[in-house]
């Protein structure tokens, strides 16, 4: 329970102490928006890395060199744990907005940081609002801001991937940006599999080779979600023998 308490206190302290920081960042945005964006990114990444260190997890990252440094991408990953966000966001080389549930808008302070970091809030009960979220994601890509989506729509309870929602791939199919498939193994062992305790465990996060939609066959482009999911499953299978 000590690790859980430390992680919780660290998160709460960051959110509380971050209130004046948000105000300062708002002021900075008036004369240098890009500097504000990068400073927000690095501060949150530092906090996430600290929290991950407190969990005691032994994290192995594979294939980070597959992430292009000169263009925005669409990150696609399997999803087993809340810690998947910390594991991946802490490694993003540039501005990246995550697609989150609209319910996150009810979380004070946290939602303000998420908005600053270009997160998108998806209302799954409203088709029109969902389409607008995708359109905003497309605009972000065009501006050089990467997008991160967990296309299963929710966390897996048994570690097995649910079918990917094809609509989540429109950001890539409409812009032609590379898709970076990400396979995460063991993240649920940090917390979800034995709540409320946080326990040290081994976690593997692997970044696959970029998938470029325009280089695929017509059938592969038509079922881009299934194609990407297959690539992630292949990496997950390899993790079992590492």
């Amino acid at each position: 329970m000590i690790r859980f308490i430390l992680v919780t206190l660290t998160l709460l302290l960051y959110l509380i102490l971050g209130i004046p920081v948000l105000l300062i960042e708002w002021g900075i945005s008036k004369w240098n928006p890009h500097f504000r964006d990068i400073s927000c990114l690095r501060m949150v990444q530092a906090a996430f890395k600290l929290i991950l260190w407190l969990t005691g997890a032994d994290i192995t990252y594979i294939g980070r060199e597959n992430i292009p440094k000169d263009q925005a991408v669409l990150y696609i990953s399997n999803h087993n744990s809340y810690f998947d966000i910390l594991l991946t966001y802490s490694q993003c080389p540039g501005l990246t907005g995550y697609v989150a549930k609209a319910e996150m808008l009810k979380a004070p302070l946290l939602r303000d940081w998420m908005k600053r970091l270009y997160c998108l809030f998806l209302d799954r009960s409203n088709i029109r609002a969902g389409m607008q979220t995708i359109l905003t994601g497309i605009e972000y890509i065009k501006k050089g801001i990467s997008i991160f989506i967990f296309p299963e729509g929710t966390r897996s309870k048994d570690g097995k991937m649910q079918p990917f929602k094809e609509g989540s791939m429109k950001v890539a199919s409409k812009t032609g940006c590379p898709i970076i498939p990400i396979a995460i193994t063991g993240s649920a062992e940090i917390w979800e599999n034995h709540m409320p305790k946080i326990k040290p465990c081994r976690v593997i996060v692997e970044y696959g080779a970029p998938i470029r939609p325009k280089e695929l066959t017509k059938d592969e482009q038509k079922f881009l979600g299934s194609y990407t999911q297959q690539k992630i499953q292949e990496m997950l299978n390899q993790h079992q023998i590492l």
Side-chain angles (χ1 to χ4, degrees), residues 101-116:
K101 295 183 294 185
E103 288 80 358
M104 293 301 298
L105 287 168
K106 299 177 182 178
L109 297 181
L110 181 58
R111 70 184 172 214
D112 298 299
W113 276 104
M114 293 177 71
K115 288 179 180 179
R116 287 286 178 88

Side-chain angles (χ1 to χ4, degrees), residues 31 33-34 42 53 98 128 154 164 167 181 194 202-203 212 218 222 231 237:
W31 61 273
H34 181 69
R42 300 309 179 206
W53 178 77
Y98 277 56
R128 180 173 295 180
T154 187
F164 282 10
H194 38 71
R202 187 187 184 206
V203 179
R212 304 183 187 278
K218 289 185 178 180
K222 184 177 180 180
K231 295 299 180 182
N237 293 341

Side-chain angles (χ1 to χ4, degrees), residues 43-240:
M43 281 190 289
V44 173
Q45 287 182 322
F48 282 0
K49 288 176 181 178
L50 173 59
I51 291 173
L52 290 170
W53 178 77
L54 290 172
T55 69
D58 177 14
I59 307 168
T60 299
Y61 287 100
I62 303 172
R64 280 180 292 188
E65 66 277 5
N66 285 320
I67 306 174
K69 304 298 190 296
D70 57 350
Q71 64 180 129
V73 303
L74 174 64
Y75 295 100
I76 295 292
S77 175
N78 63 312
H79 193 23
N80 299 317
S81 169
Y82 290 115
F83 280 92
D84 294 338
I85 299 168
L86 282 70
L87 290 162
T88 53
Y89 192 78
S90 62
Q91 304 301 310
C92 292
L95 296 176
T96 303
Y98 277 56
V99 175
K101 295 183 294 185
E103 288 80 358
M104 293 301 298
L105 287 168
K106 299 177 182 178
L109 297 181
L110 181 58
R111 70 184 172 214
D112 298 299
W113 276 104
M114 293 177 71
K115 288 179 180 179
R116 287 286 178 88
L117 296 168
Y118 295 97
C119 288
L120 300 172
F121 300 91
L122 179 63
D123 184 352
R124 289 176 290 185
S125 65
N126 188 323
I127 296 177
R128 180 173 295 180
M131 285 302 300
Q132 184 56 52
T133 299
I134 297 298
L135 291 174
T136 302
I138 291 172
E139 289 303 311
Y140 280 179
I141 290 287
K142 292 178 179 179
K143 292 178 180 179
I145 302 168
S146 296
I147 297 296
F148 198 117
I149 298 178
F150 296 107
E152 294 170 88
T154 187
R155 290 176 296 116
S156 170
K157 300 298 189 286
D158 58 6
K160 297 179 181 179
M161 281 192 293
Q162 302 301 309
F164 282 10
K165 293 176 171 55
E166 292 292 339
S168 61
M169 301 292 156
K170 288 188 180 297
V171 171
S173 61
K174 295 295 185 181
T175 63
C177 74
I179 298 170
I180 304 299
I182 304 174
I184 305 175
T185 296
S187 58
E189 284 298 321
I190 298 176
W191 185 51
E192 279 82 358
N193 287 352
H194 38 71
M195 292 189 293
K197 294 182 180 180
I198 288 178
K199 295 183 178 181
C201 63
R202 187 187 184 206
V203 179
I204 301 174
V205 182
E206 182 172 2
Y207 297 80
I211 298 171
R212 304 183 187 278
K214 293 182 179 180
E215 296 178 2
L216 302 179
T217 66
K218 289 185 178 180
D219 283 342
E220 290 169 342
Q221 290 181 37
K222 184 177 180 180
F223 300 103
L224 191 52
S226 297
Y227 180 84
T228 304
Q229 184 169 19
Q230 179 184 343
K231 295 299 180 182
I232 293 174
Q233 187 62 60
E234 290 172 359
M235 289 188 283
L236 291 173
N237 293 341
Q238 285 297 313
H239 293 178
Q240 303 307 312

